[in-house]
């Protein structure tokens, strides 16, 4: 884990940053074609950080043309696997050299605690790039058993130009999850960062080019969803889009593909994830620590957050008391202070959305047992709401903020039914002292990632993605992520 600096040191880094402001297309930082910009701010303070190029379909066309040319001449994918690996390892080393800068930039742009950026987001991003780099020359093609009269080779080829559309909650880490396997596969990229959080993607593009990734292979086009995201989704020369974000927007990308060139679409969307606490649990302090981490890490702005606590009725009061104790260590405040574990919401618009759930929290038999307040119209206290029924908004809708909904059950079958009573199926957790019941419930939960006696998403070696309306078409992380950025070709050689 990275060593933390002091608040004063992080502030000094922030004051000395030269923040990127232009698009990065065909190996160069360039203004938008129409000269337009948008304002980016520090959500925690309201301070204007700068003006960023506001791109549109014309810029997307330019970036896609650059990526298409890079693919056509093979300047990246026709290099040997070892050559591409060495470039990506240099890229990771450059990211490491600039780790403190990237952590501060991420915190300023998103309102995330700099401590989380420095100890989780940045090092995990670097590790992701290195891991996929090392995998390049370790994925083998194969032959099929067709007899002596022929040879049948089954080979992977890069799919072509890939659009990557990123969320604002983990700007750098989600970028790494996508560029790691796609660059390893040999694909040229057109990347749209979220408009709220563009800075680290632009800086990463500069460092990638410095590391030796050729011009045209990694392009970043900042701007809004309608101006940039939709043109990428509809572009006839984009062969695939990998999207992380809301389920509603994910649906649009399926429509864009259907109405254009039937490009491959991979979606990682929303979640309303259960943490099921079984009756046989014998260490409620540990359970409380994991539940609090799962619900409030990254201010709950996390698609895999444990936002629904489904607890056996006999344990509820004791567990809620321990959750209250755990929350004493979760300080809310200035993201530049490494002593704070909770920062601001990413924007005023998102704050208003989260606050609307707080406004409902004391109604319909629900009780706010922790938190429930806001500060400065941008900070939300970690909030625990008891008595949440399955027909309530708080049980069914994704808050994407620091709000934990508590629902009780009496039987194992009821717990499973409650856990699966959602349009989503991204993640879940099960807590129990006896392995068989815990594993039985974990197998019954309809979700892509289920942990037992902990909160987490696995590591870089395990696939991440969801069932139902949480995902479609593929997985981030692990060797499986490479598959979605490749086409499978059969080459048949007749020996007769």
């Amino acid at each position: 884990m990275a060593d933390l600096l002091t608040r004063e040191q992080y502030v000094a880094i922030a004051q000395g940053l030269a923040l990127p402001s232009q698009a990065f297309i065909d190996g160069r930082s360039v203004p938008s074609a129409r000269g337009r910009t948008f304002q980016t701010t520090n959500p925690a303070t309201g301070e204007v950080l700068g003006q960023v190029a506001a791109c549109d379909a014309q810029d997307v066309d330019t970036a896609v043309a650059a990526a298409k040319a890079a693919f056509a001449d093979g300047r990246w994918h026709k290099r040997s696997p070892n050559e591409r690996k060495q470039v990506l390892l240099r890229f990771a080393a450059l990211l490491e050299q600039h780790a403190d800068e990237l952590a501060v930039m991420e915190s300023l742009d998103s309102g995330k605690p700099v401590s989380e950026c420095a100890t989780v987001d940045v090092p995990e991003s670097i590790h992701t790039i290195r891991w996929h780099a090392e995998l390049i020359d370790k994925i083998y093609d194969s032959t099929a058993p067709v007899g002596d009269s022929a040879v049948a080779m089954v080979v992977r080829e890069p799919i072509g130009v890939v659009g990557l559309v990123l969320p604002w909650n983990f700007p750098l880490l989600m970028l790494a999850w996508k560029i790691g396997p796609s660059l390893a596969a040999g694909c040229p990229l057109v990347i749209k960062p979220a408009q709220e959080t563009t800075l680290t993607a632009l800086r990463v593009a500069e460092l990638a080019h410095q590391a030796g990734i050729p011009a045209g292979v990694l392009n970043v086009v900042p701007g809004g969803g309608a101006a940039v995201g939709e043109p990428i989704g509809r572009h006839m020369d984009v062969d695939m889009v990998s999207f992380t974000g809301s389920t509603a927007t994910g649906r649009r990308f399926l429509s864009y593909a259907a109405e254009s060139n039937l490009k491959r679409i991979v979606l990682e969307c929303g979640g309303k994830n259960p943490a099921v606490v079984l009756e046989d649990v014998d260490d409620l302090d540990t359970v409380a620590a994991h539940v609090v981490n799962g619900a409030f890490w990254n201010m709950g702005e996390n698609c895999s957050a444990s936002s629904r606590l489904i607890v056996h009725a006999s344990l509820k009061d004791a567990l809620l008391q321990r959750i209250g104790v755990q929350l004493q260590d979760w300080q809310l405040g200035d993201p530049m202070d490494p002593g704070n574990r909770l920062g601001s919401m990413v924007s005023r618009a998102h704050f208003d959305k989260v606050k609307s759930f707080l406004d409902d929290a004391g109604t319909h038999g629900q009780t706010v047992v922790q938190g429930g307040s806001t500060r400065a119209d941008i900070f939300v206290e970690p909030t625990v709401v008891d008595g949440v029924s399955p027909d309530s908004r708080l049980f069914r809708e994704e808050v994407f903020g620091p709000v934990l909904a508590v629902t009780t059950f009496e039987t194992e079958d009821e717990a499973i039914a409650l856990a699966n009573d959602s349009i989503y199926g991204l993640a879940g957790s099960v807590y129990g002292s006896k392995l068989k019941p815990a594993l039985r419930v974990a197998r019954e939960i309809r979700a892509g990632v289920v942990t037992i006696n902990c909160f987490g998403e696995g590591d870089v070696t395990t696939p991440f993605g969801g069932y139902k309306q949480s995902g479609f078409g593929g997985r981030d992380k692990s060797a499986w992520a490479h598959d979605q950025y490749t086409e499978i070709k059969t080459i048949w050689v007749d020996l007769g």
Side-chain angles (χ1 to χ4, degrees), residues 206-291:
E206 296 170 353
L207 294 173
H209 187 65
Q210 184 179 336
I213 293 177
V217 172
L218 196 157
N219 307 277
V220 179
V221 187
V228 176
E230 182 173 349
I232 289 174
R234 293 188 180 278
H235 207 290
M236 296 298 290
D237 290 327
V238 172
D239 300 290
M240 173 193 167
V241 169
S242 179
F243 167 81
T244 296
S246 72
T247 297
T249 303
R251 292 177 186 276
R252 294 193 190 105
F253 277 97
L254 294 177
S255 296
Y256 302 155
E259 294 165 3
S260 57
N261 61 343
L262 286 180
K263 58 178 62 64
R264 184 181 299 175
I265 300 292
V266 175
L267 304 178
E268 194 272 283
C269 299
K272 191 69 179 175
N273 312 291
V276 178
V277 181
L278 300 177
E279 185 179 12
D280 62 35
V281 162
D282 59 10
D283 185 357
L284 285 177
D285 291 311
T286 298
V287 173
H290 284 300
V291 169

Side-chain angles (χ1 to χ4, degrees), residues 13 69 118 144 148 151 155 232 241 269 311 333 339 353 387 412 417 442 467 486:
I13 292 171
D148 294 338
V151 172
V155 300
I232 289 174
V241 169
C269 299
V311 57
K353 176 197 170 187
E412 183 180 298
Y467 292 12
T486 59

Side-chain angles (χ1 to χ4, degrees), residues 205-464:
E206 296 170 353
L207 294 173
H209 187 65
Q210 184 179 336
I213 293 177
V217 172
L218 196 157
N219 307 277
V220 179
V221 187
V228 176
E230 182 173 349
I232 289 174
R234 293 188 180 278
H235 207 290
M236 296 298 290
D237 290 327
V238 172
D239 300 290
M240 173 193 167
V241 169
S242 179
F243 167 81
T244 296
S246 72
T247 297
T249 303
R251 292 177 186 276
R252 294 193 190 105
F253 277 97
L254 294 177
S255 296
Y256 302 155
E259 294 165 3
S260 57
N261 61 343
L262 286 180
K263 58 178 62 64
R264 184 181 299 175
I265 300 292
V266 175
L267 304 178
E268 194 272 283
C269 299
K272 191 69 179 175
N273 312 291
V276 178
V277 181
L278 300 177
E279 185 179 12
D280 62 35
V281 162
D282 59 10
D283 185 357
L284 285 177
D285 291 311
T286 298
V287 173
H290 284 300
V291 169
V292 166
N293 188 45
F296 303 121
W297 174 49
N298 203 55
M299 296 74 68
E301 294 173 336
N302 179 16
C303 53
S304 62
S306 299
S307 54
R308 291 185 295 148
L309 175 59
I310 299 172
V311 57
H312 192 274
S314 66
L315 301 177
K316 184 198 73 173
D317 291 341
L319 181 57
L320 290 184
Q321 186 272 332
R322 287 165 171 82
I323 285 173
V325 172
Q326 290 289 331
L327 281 173
Q328 294 173 14
D329 294 329
W330 285 71
Q331 299 301 315
L332 172 69
D334 178 10
M336 282 290 109
D337 184 343
N340 290 328
R341 299 181 70 176
L342 293 162
S344 72
M345 297 289 95
V346 73
S347 67
R348 177 59 190 268
H350 186 60
F351 168 86
D352 290 342
K353 176 197 170 187
V354 174
K355 186 176 182 299
S356 73
F357 284 92
L358 298 184
D359 293 341
D360 288 347
T363 62
H364 309 296
Q366 300 171 359
T367 303
V368 177
V369 295
Q370 293 287 337
S373 298
T374 64
R375 305 179 195 172
D377 288 341
I378 198 66
F379 293 88
V380 177
E381 289 184 351
T383 298
V384 180
V385 183
D386 189 15
V388 177
S389 63
D391 60 352
S392 68
R393 181 183 177 218
L394 193 53
F395 186 92
R396 311 209 72 80
E397 296 182 24
E398 185 178 37
V399 179
F400 223 63
V403 182
L404 175 64
V406 182
T407 306
T408 59
F409 67 91
E410 296 287 350
T411 68
E412 183 180 298
D413 286 344
E414 185 185 1
I416 293 168
L418 286 167
N420 289 330
D421 187 11
S422 174
I423 63 171
Y424 300 111
L426 184 58
S429 301
V430 182
Y431 299 90
S433 296
K434 297 177 181 177
L435 179 60
K436 286 184 179 179
L439 187 56
R440 187 166 58 239
V441 174
R443 291 293 298 267
E444 292 295 327
I445 292 176
R446 297 278 297 162
V449 178
V450 181
T451 57
I452 295 178
N453 291 329
C454 64
F455 165 76
E457 298 171 350
D459 64 13
V460 72
T461 69
T462 57
F464 181 82

